[in-house]
Amino acid sequence: MGEVDSARLLQYVGFVVGGFLLGSLPFGFWLCKLLKGVDIRTVGSGNIGATNVFRCAGPLIGTVVLLLDVAKGFMPAVVGRMVAGPDLAVAAGAAAVLGHTFSPFLGFRGGKGVAAALGLLLGATPGIAGGALASFAVVFAVTRWVSLASLLGALSAAVLVLVIDSPTSVRALILVIAVLLIVNHRANIRRLLRGEEPKFRFGGSKAADAAHTSEPASV
């Protein structure tokens, strides 16, 4: 019995560590540096995520970064789900979100974690992912504010995980990730309240970049 418990613990630790390391890979930073010769942390909002990459490096690189960041959360979650169920899936996916936000490759700084969190939900709880994504899509279509859409998507996930019958550990971890996303958007919240948050425009604009550089990009 003890050997079984030890093996299961090692399995969980391995998935969590692996998820964190995968999540910490700063694809936005690397691709912009490699393909554009630009440190994405010094332009636009300074964030390494897909929105800033899309605006500053173009739609092709932005789309690639978006897909890679989603995959960082999805892969450990979906494999964890197949191996040991939703508990391990959410733990591994949540570790990937933390890795993206606190990347050791960038001095334990990183992105806001929205795309990685979407990947976590898609891999671990597809139903909640669908609700959060629908909320994001509607808010973004109406307002063109990625930040507001991300915040309401996170809130939707938090509400859905409380409503849908889920293991306690799954509920706790998704709530923690939702809170993390909200905290990571605190500068955006301040700009939204002041009416200064720029709307997303395909191709971006110098005005939008200037507005985004007025506050820290992430924690």
Side-chain angles (χ1 to χ4, degrees):
M1 185 68 175
E3 290 182 1
V4 174
D5 291 342
S6 296
R8 186 171 180 81
L9 177 60
L10 286 174
Q11 181 184 66
Y12 268 72
V13 170
F15 267 84
V16 168
V17 171
F20 181 86
L21 292 176
L22 179 61
S24 71
L25 301 177
F27 292 119
F29 171 76
W30 284 342
L31 288 177
C32 288
K33 198 73 171 175
L34 177 66
L35 300 177
K36 294 290 186 177
V38 173
D39 185 341
I40 192 64
R41 298 171 300 177
T42 66
V43 295
S45 68
N47 194 273
I48 66 169
T51 300
N52 195 40
V53 173
F54 197 107
R55 180 174 58 250
C56 299
L60 178 58
I61 299 177
T63 300
V64 171
V65 169
L66 173 63
L67 294 175
L68 288 172
D69 284 350
V70 171
K72 291 195 297 189
F74 177 78
M75 290 175 62
V78 75
V79 174
R81 186 182 182 191
M82 290 188 296
V83 170
D87 287 358
L88 182 56
V90 173
V97 178
L98 290 174
H100 178 81
T101 305
F102 305 105
S103 172
F105 294 99
L106 300 176
F108 292 96
R109 297 178 67 85
K112 296 178 182 176
V114 175
L118 173 60
L120 150 65
L121 294 177
L122 287 170
T125 56
I128 293 175
L133 192 55
S135 176
F136 177 97
V138 170
V139 175
F140 176 71
V142 172
T143 69
R144 293 294 171 182
W145 279 322
V146 176
S147 57
L148 182 60
S150 299
L151 287 164
L152 292 183
L155 287 173
S156 297
V159 170
L160 287 170
V161 79
L162 292 175
V163 172
I164 296 174
D165 185 26
S166 305
T168 301
S169 59
V170 170
R171 284 181 172 172
L173 283 171
I174 289 180
L175 288 174
V176 167
I177 293 300
V179 170
L180 176 66
L181 295 186
I182 292 169
V183 170
N184 285 351
H185 282 83
R186 62 193 182 277
N188 304 86
I189 294 171
R190 288 194 290 266
R191 289 196 293 269
L192 285 165
L193 292 174
R194 294 197 302 258
E196 298 174 356
E197 179 77 343
K199 299 187 181 218
F200 182 84
R201 293 179 177 82
F202 292 95
S205 69
K206 291 183 179 180
D209 290 345
H212 267 72
T213 55
S214 61
E215 303 215 33
S218 62
V219 295

